[in-house]
Amino acid sequence: KKPTLEDLLPGGETYRIAENKWYQWYGDAACLELGIDSIKGIWAVNGVGAKAGENFTVITLKEANKLLAEKELGKLRNFYSAKTINTPHSAVIGILLQVDPLLLLNTGKYRVLIDWKKKELIWNQPCPAQAANEDWNEVSRHLAYTLNNNLYVMTNDGQTRQVTTEAEGIVCGQSVHRNEFGINKGTYWSPQGNLLAFYRMDESMVTQYPLVDITARIGELNNVRYPMAGMTSHKVTVGIYNTETQKTVYLNTGDPTDRYFTNISWSPDEKSLYLIEVNRDQNHAKLCRYNAETGEPMGVLYEEMHPKYVEPQNAIIFLPWDPTKFIYQSQRDGYNHLYLFDADAANMKGETYNSANGGTYFQAGKVKQLTKGNWLVSDVLGFNTKRKEIIFTAVEGLRSGHFAVNVSNGKISQPFENCKESEHSGMLNASGTYLIDRYSTKDQPRIINLVDTKNFKETANLLTAESPYEGYQMPSIETGTIKAADGTTDLHYRLMKPANFDPAKKYPVIVYVYGGPHAQCVTGGWQNGARGWDTYMAGKGYIMFTIDNRGSSNRGLAFENA
C-alpha cells in the first residue's frame, strides 16, 4: 500500500513519525529521559555510588502529582515540558560541576521546583494569566513576561512589577526588526538574573496594515504596523531594568532612526552590555559595548562592511575560564567561523583590513581565527573547560558533524572531510565531556547517541528509530549535483521517482525550489529532506525534482549572496 496524506502530513489522523525520545542533562553525570509517565536516567559518567551506564528512575508522574496535590498547585499530564536546573552550587575549573537535583515543572497555574532525590517540592511561583513572551531565569528565579505590549517582572517570591507603561504603538519586551539578524526574543537576563535588558520598539509612526484573523469563528480584522518598502520604519531602543532598585536605564545609542540593534549579550561580571548594530542598508555592522549602569557607550570593538550585505546572526559568547575573552562569529573569510576577541579591545587602537569575502573589516586589539575551511559553524554547543575547547556543530551542503577546537593552539578534533551525509544537532553536558548527539541520514530517520567529546566516538546508543513507513510502497530517492549557470558551481539536487519506475516511460515532473536565503531543501538527513507532500505526489506517478540554487544556505557567503 502507498502512504496517504493522513499518513504523511503532521496533524493527519494516522500521521506516521519515527520514534523519538527527549533528553536533558543533569549536570555532568547523567542524562535524563523525559517521558509521559516518568523521568528515567542513565549515569553517563557516574553518580555517587553508581556505575556509568547504570539506569535509574528519577521520578514518576504519580509521585510528582502527589507533591503538587498536597499544596494544590495543579496537575501534570506528562513530563515533556519539564526542565532540569543546572545551576551549580559549587564549581572548580575543569572539575565536575555539582548541581542540585532539581526539576522545573509547569502546571499552567504554577511554576514549581522539585528535588527529585528527596521527592520534595521546594519552591513555587504563580503563572501570570494571559502572559506572553515568558523568560524565566534559573539563578534568580525571576520571570519576565509581557501583557498588552508592556513588560512585567515577577520576582522569585511572587511579587509582580510593571516595568513599562507605554501606550498603543509602543511595544516592550518582544522581538523587534521582524526577527531578522538572529533576533527571536525581546528580553535578556544577566548571568545572575538581577538585571534585565529588553527591547522597546516605537512603531507609532508606522502605517497600519489590515490582516484578517481566520482562526476566529467569524473572521476578525486585526491591524498590524508594517512599513511598506521605502516608508518610515520603527525605532528601537534598549533598556536595562534593575530588579533591586526597580529602575530602568536606556542605552545612549543616539538617534535610532534606520538602525538595527541585534545580538544582545552580557559580560560575565554584568557591568557591560554588548550588541551588534546594523545600518538600514545592511552593509555595515558594529560590535558595541555599553556601560550597564549608566547606559553610556564604552567603545566599538569590531566593524564589518560588505558591498552586498553583512548579516550578524549570533551574540558573542565569553570563555567560561577567561572573562576577558569572547567568541565572535563572522563570515569574513567566506564561511561562518569562530574568532577569539579581547573584551578590552575597545580601549585599543584598531586597524582596517580587506576581507577574503570581498568586504572590509575594522578590529581593535588582537583577533585569532579559531576555525577555518570551506565549511561553516552552524551551532556553538558549549565548552570543555578542562581542555580549553569549544564544542560546535559544522555543516557544508549535505554533510555535518560535531567538532572541538582548542582555544590555545587552534587544533581541531578531526578533519571536516571525515563527515558523512547527515544532519546533526547536539546537547552538551555541564563540563563538555559528553554530548547527546541526535542525527538522521537519508535512510535512517533518527539516531540518538551518547558521545565522548574527547574523540567523538559513540559510548552508548539511546535510540535507533525504525522507518515509520515499513511495509509501505515508497518512491526511490536519488541525489547528485549539476552545474550552475556559471559552469563551475555544483548545485545539489534531489530526484524522487515513483515506486516501480519504468525508464522506458515518460512521467510528468514537478520542479520545486525555494531559493533562500536561510533555506536548504536538499539535505543529508532523513529522505534527503523530502516532505510528505513530495512522497504523496510521487505515489501519484509524478517525478519530484528539487534543487538548491545559489542563494540557499549552508554553502558559504558567496553561494548565498549570489
Side-chain angles (χ1 to χ4, degrees):
K1 61 181 180 180
K2 297 177 182 177
T4 65
L5 280 180
E6 291 286 319
D7 296 325
L8 292 164
L9 299 185
E13 187 177 352
T14 55
Y15 178 52
R16 307 186 68 79
I17 189 169
E19 182 187 358
N20 201 356
K21 291 182 179 180
W22 290 265
Y23 289 93
Q24 290 183 24
W25 283 103
Y26 162 53
D28 259 352
C31 55
L32 309 185
E33 180 189 342
L34 311 181
I36 295 178
D37 54 10
S38 67
I39 297 179
K40 296 179 180 178
I42 175 174
W43 293 111
V45 186
N46 65 289
V48 178
K51 296 180 180 179
E54 186 177 324
N55 295 291
F56 61 99
T57 298
V58 175
I59 193 169
T60 66
L61 194 64
K62 184 177 180 180
E63 289 172 328
N65 278 328
K66 181 182 178 182
L67 294 174
L68 293 167
E70 288 172 356
K71 296 194 176 182
E72 299 181 346
L73 297 176
K75 188 177 182 179
L76 291 174
R77 292 185 177 182
N78 56 57
F79 282 117
Y80 291 146
S81 63
K83 184 178 185 295
T84 55
I85 303 303
N86 285 299
T87 304
H89 56 69
S90 67
V92 179
I93 290 179
I95 299 177
L96 198 71
L97 299 180
Q98 295 180 358
V99 298
D100 292 322
L102 300 182
L103 282 172
L104 179 70
L105 307 176
N106 193 323
T107 66
K109 293 182 178 180
Y110 288 90
R111 193 171 269 101
V112 174
L113 281 178
I114 286 179
D115 184 316
W116 52 264
K117 282 189 176 179
K118 295 180 180 178
K119 300 295 187 290
E120 291 180 1
L121 194 153
I122 66 168
W123 174 88
N124 70 83
Q125 181 188 59
C127 295
Q130 298 180 317
N133 304 294
E134 294 189 354
D135 185 2
W136 186 77
N137 183 272
E138 66 180 45
V139 180
S140 66
R141 300 178 187 173
H142 296 329
L143 172 72
Y145 63 96
T146 62
L147 285 174
N148 300 321
N149 293 336
N150 272 302
L151 178 64
Y152 293 76
V153 165
M154 180 179 287
T155 58
N156 54 25
D157 57 1
Q159 296 182 50
T160 299
R161 297 171 181 170
Q162 184 167 352
V163 178
T164 64
T165 52
E166 303 287 2
E168 193 280 327
I170 298 179
V171 178
C172 295
Q174 299 184 32
S175 180
V176 298
H177 302 322
R178 296 286 161 189
N179 293 69
E180 296 290 347
F181 316 111
I183 300 173
N184 55 29
K185 63 174 189 169
T187 53
Y188 304 84
W189 284 109
S190 64
Q192 295 303 311
N194 295 314
L195 298 172
L196 178 69
F198 64 92
Y199 282 122
R200 177 188 184 272
M201 177 171 63
D202 183 354
E203 54 181 6
S204 59
M205 73 292 288
V206 178
T207 52
Q208 299 267 20
Y209 191 91
L211 291 178
V212 176
D213 179 5
I214 62 170
T215 64
R217 178 67 180 89
I218 299 175
E220 298 174 354
L221 182 66
N222 289 334
N223 283 321
V224 297
R225 294 186 180 273
Y226 189 89
M228 303 307 287
M231 296 180 71
T232 304
S233 189
H234 57 244
K235 297 180 182 181
V236 169
T237 49
V238 177
I240 298 176
Y241 173 72
N242 188 313
T243 60
E244 294 180 2
T245 65
Q246 300 184 42
K247 293 182 179 179
T248 299
V249 62
Y250 284 90
L251 302 189
N252 183 11
T253 59
D255 182 2
T257 303
D258 291 340
R259 296 162 72 195
Y260 305 117
F261 302 115
T262 79
N263 298 294
I264 291 174
S265 58
W266 284 93
S267 63
D269 62 8
E270 302 186 331
K271 293 181 178 179
S272 301
L273 191 73
Y274 294 80
L275 59 79
I276 302 176
E277 177 187 330
V278 182
N279 62 335
R280 179 72 181 261
D281 285 343
Q282 299 178 26
N283 57 13
H284 188 176
K286 296 192 293 186
L287 174 62
C288 305
R289 180 183 180 185
Y290 289 87
N291 185 302
E293 185 178 358
T294 66
E296 292 300 314
M298 299 176 67
V300 176
L301 288 79
Y302 182 69
E303 296 184 56
E304 194 167 332
M305 295 140 277
H306 194 277
K308 292 189 176 179
Y309 59 77
V310 179
E311 191 182 20
Q313 292 283 314
N314 302 282
I316 65 173
I317 308 172
F318 280 84
L319 300 182
W321 60 86
D322 186 353
T324 69
K325 302 287 192 302
F326 64 82
I327 303 300
Y328 185 93
Q329 298 186 47
S330 171
Q331 299 189 84
R332 76 187 202 188
D333 79 341
Y335 293 83
N336 189 60
H337 282 298
L338 306 180
Y339 295 80
L340 182 66
F341 275 73
D342 193 318
D344 295 325
N347 302 319
M348 303 177 187
K349 183 181 179 182
E351 294 185 45
T352 301
Y353 305 86
N354 292 323
S355 64
N357 68 12
T360 57
Y361 61 91
F362 163 87
Q363 66 187 38
K366 187 179 289 186
V367 175
K368 179 181 179 181
Q369 184 170 356
L370 295 175
T371 61
K372 191 175 181 64
N374 294 339
W375 45 268
L376 55 101
V377 175
S378 59
D379 192 14
V380 175
L381 302 178
F383 300 89
N384 183 298
T385 305
K386 188 176 182 179
R387 296 198 296 261
K388 303 291 190 296
E389 290 178 341
I390 305 170
I391 315 296
F392 64 93
T393 308
V395 62
E396 197 286 326
L398 276 60
R399 297 185 296 165
S400 74
H402 300 305
F403 300 83
V405 60
N406 187 285
V407 173
S408 302
N409 58 29
K411 185 178 178 181
I412 294 184
S413 55
Q414 57 180 320
F416 181 83
E417 288 67 32
N418 289 355
C419 288
K420 298 179 180 179
E421 291 189 4
S422 56
E423 274 192 311
H424 284 261
S425 65
M427 184 185 299
L428 202 62
N429 71 347
S431 65
T433 51
Y434 284 86
L435 177 71
I436 296 172
D437 177 26
R438 309 175 71 95
Y439 74 97
S440 68
T441 66
K442 173 187 175 180
D443 301 314
Q444 185 60 245
R446 185 173 292 110
I447 298 174
I448 307 176
N449 286 335
L450 195 63
V451 170
D452 188 334
T453 61
K454 186 181 291 185
N455 50 24
F456 289 92
K457 301 292 185 183
E458 172 195 338
T459 61
N461 175 251
L462 303 177
L463 173 69
T464 299
E466 296 180 355
S467 168
Y469 305 121
E470 200 66 43
Y472 282 79
Q473 189 183 67
M474 298 294 288
S476 64
I477 300 175
E478 302 170 16
T479 58
T481 63
I482 59 175
K483 294 296 181 184
D486 63 6
T488 58
T489 306
D490 285 331
L491 305 179
H492 295 292
Y493 71 81
R494 180 182 66 242
L495 190 68
M496 184 179 276
K497 297 176 181 178
N500 304 318
F501 173 77
D502 183 354
K505 287 177 56 180
K506 284 189 176 182
Y507 292 80
V509 178
I510 294 176
V511 177
Y512 177 83
V513 294
Y514 185 88
H518 300 313
Q520 182 184 10
C521 294
V522 186
T523 73
W526 172 233
Q527 296 190 318
N528 292 117
R531 303 164 302 162
W533 181 77
D534 296 300
T535 303
Y536 179 75
M537 295 305 287
K540 291 292 185 182
Y542 292 86
I543 289 177
M544 307 298 291
F545 179 77
T546 294
I547 193 165
D548 278 329
N549 55 277
R550 285 175 292 171
S552 55
S553 60
N554 291 331
R555 298 287 304 279
L557 183 66
F559 187 94
E560 191 164 5
N561 74 19

